[in-house]
Amino acid sequence: MPEKLASITAVHGYVPDHVLTNHDLEQMVDTNDEWIVSRTGIKERRILKEPGKATSDMGVEVVKGLLEKSGTHPDEIELLILATVTSDMNFPDAANTICDKCGINNAFAYDLSAACSGFVFALHTGAQFVKTGAYKKVIVLGIDMMSSIVDYTDRSTCIIFGDGGGGVLLEPNLEGNGIKDAVMGGDGSGRKYLYQKSGGSLSPASAESVANREHFVFQDGRPVFKAAVSGMRSSVESLLSRNHLKKENIDWIVPHQANIRIINTLASMLDFPMEKVMVNIDKFGNTTDGTIPLCLWEYEKKLKKGDTLVLTAFGGGFTWGSILLDWAYTAT
Ligand code: UT7
């Protein structure tokens, strides 16, 4: 009996129409295009501007695309996991709102929060339900509306983040293609470098917390940069070594898009060619949970059945993780 794996059978993405360029940011804070491009690789990012729209509305677009591409009826979906740090509300989870708006009536759904590593955590989680045979159709999403928690008076963070995301449909595969292994990690002592100070149980919202701008993202960039490089590098190396793979066996690395310098450094440390590293940070910035599915969506046509991919992410917490998978289809 061949081993059952959870494979990605469809991928879709969504970004809002509104483009926020580096030039636009020059009008808002003391920054410039040259600094942003040379320090981060970002040229523009997308912002969800329409009043009343939130993360779940982007999720609806992604799920509709996944269902249409795969010819799946909404009632066939059994589980939906949404990785996000910008759910519509603290509760209920936006995952349930997405199901309601898409007519998914037979699934249980929940949000998962692991900052920028959320999508790989959610994919690893969702894959277990398929691999064990518990479910046959699982949707995993990674979507964020970072503009809802970014301080557009803080030049050190507002230039980085954007809105958008994507997702995948997971189904069983008996041909040997699918999610093969994952190395996940965490270090809570890193929490002081990247966080949203207020709005949780430690410091509930108050007039003072709002006045002190504590509901926005805080990041101490340099230590996060260093930890991101080492976390992604070590998890990729462990994944390769324990699966007896050399870098030549990998067709694509799909890194979280936080900074082009992090991506370049990672590729150089792994001695891996940049032509085989997915990059779209220039257009979308850092969409937190959205970056990896947005890369898969954009590169879908270049992927062939049997290609070996390594997804790798690092985020607040600290959290990190890498996933090894063989792609299950060639897009037509
Ligand atoms: O996605 C989750 C994980 N997040 C990450 O992986 C992000 C990791 N960190 C980074 O990507 C980088 O640290 C940043 C892009 C956030 C910042 O780049 P940096 O090269 O580490 O800059 P820095 O914070 O050390 O600042 C260098 C200088 C400072 O000026 P002085 O003190 O040297 O005079 C900053 O004030 O650049 C200044 N600066 C800016 N200048 C123009 C900071 N932000 C800006 C800006 N425009 N937007």
Side-chain angles (χ1 to χ4, degrees):
M1 185 78 175
E3 189 192 7
K4 186 188 290 172
L5 296 176
S7 68
I8 293 174
T9 54
V11 57
H12 201 63
Y14 176 80
V15 286
D17 293 335
H18 182 80
V19 177
L20 181 67
T21 65
N22 291 350
H23 177 70
D24 295 331
L25 286 163
E26 285 174 3
Q27 318 303 313
M28 295 157 72
V29 286
D30 179 15
T31 192
N32 58 78
D33 178 61
E34 198 279 326
W35 192 94
I36 301 173
V37 173
S38 64
R39 303 308 292 166
T40 70
I42 303 168
K43 293 180 182 152
E44 56 189 46
R45 64 293 285 146
R46 300 299 182 94
I47 304 294
L48 185 57
K49 280 263 186 186
E50 293 152 85
K53 295 278 183 190
T55 294
S56 69
D57 297 289
M58 294 191 277
V60 168
E61 297 302 323
V62 175
V63 170
K64 280 184 179 163
L66 288 173
L67 296 176
E68 194 185 314
K69 278 167 119 170
S70 60
T72 305
H73 190 277
D75 285 342
E76 292 179 73
I77 302 300
E78 298 159 289
L79 165 63
L80 184 147
I81 307 174
L82 167 66
T84 190
V85 293
T86 52
S87 202
D88 294 11
M89 301 174 180
N90 274 343
F91 73 91
D93 288 358
N96 289 289
T97 308
I98 294 170
C99 288
D100 178 48
K101 289 181 179 172
C102 292
I104 294 177
N105 300 309
N106 296 326
F108 75 111
Y110 56 91
D111 292 0
L112 183 154
S113 176
C116 296
S117 310
F119 182 75
V120 292
F121 277 40
L123 188 62
H124 186 38
T125 306
Q128 306 309 311
F129 289 96
V130 176
K131 195 175 157 64
T132 58
Y135 304 118
K136 290 194 174 64
K137 290 187 194 285
V138 172
I139 286 180
V140 176
L141 305 173
I143 305 171
D144 269 304
M145 182 175 166
M146 293 305 293
S147 63
S148 65
I149 56 167
V150 161
D151 182 352
Y152 287 96
T153 66
D154 174 7
R155 69 176 182 172
S156 69
T157 51
C158 74
I159 54 119
I160 298 169
F161 295 104
D163 300 341
V168 298
L169 176 65
L170 292 178
E171 294 183 87
N173 183 293
L174 298 173
E175 296 180 332
N177 291 324
I179 292 164
K180 300 211 147 152
D181 197 10
V183 172
M184 300 284 149
D187 175 6
S189 71
R191 65 191 181 278
K192 58 183 173 289
Y193 299 116
L194 181 50
Y195 62 91
Q196 193 180 347
K197 188 169 185 182
S198 289
S201 56
L202 181 63
S203 171
S206 65
E208 198 187 352
S209 69
V210 172
N212 291 338
R213 311 184 79 78
E214 290 171 6
H215 296 269
F216 295 119
V217 175
F218 167 85
Q219 176 171 250
D220 185 356
R222 283 190 187 184
V224 180
F225 186 110
K226 272 196 200 159
V229 171
S230 70
M232 292 202 281
R233 178 194 183 177
S234 65
S235 61
V236 172
E237 284 178 344
S238 312
L239 199 57
L240 296 190
S241 95
R242 80 183 190 191
N243 287 279
H244 313 291
L245 291 169
K246 297 199 162 56
K247 64 178 197 297
E248 292 76 21
N249 302 120
I250 306 303
D251 297 292
W252 294 96
I253 289 184
V254 193
H256 169 53
Q257 312 279 302
N259 188 320
I260 192 65
R261 290 185 294 129
I262 294 178
I263 298 172
N264 287 334
T265 308
L266 177 70
S268 148
M269 284 175 155
L270 296 170
D271 192 21
F272 194 81
M274 275 304 287
E275 309 83 75
K276 299 203 292 182
V277 178
M278 294 189 189
V279 174
N280 61 13
I281 191 171
D282 51 321
K283 291 187 292 187
F284 302 141
N286 181 349
T287 53
T288 303
D289 285 288
T291 62
I292 289 180
L294 277 175
C295 279
L296 293 174
W297 174 53
E298 284 224 312
Y299 281 76
E300 185 188 15
K301 292 234 154 60
K302 295 189 179 181
L303 296 173
K304 295 188 296 298
K305 185 173 174 174
D307 277 357
T308 300
L309 277 64
V310 171
L311 320 183
T312 184
F314 184 92
F318 291 139
T319 54
W320 61 87
S322 295
I323 289 182
L324 174 71
L325 64 92
D326 286 348
W327 197 249
Y329 65 96
T330 303
T332 45

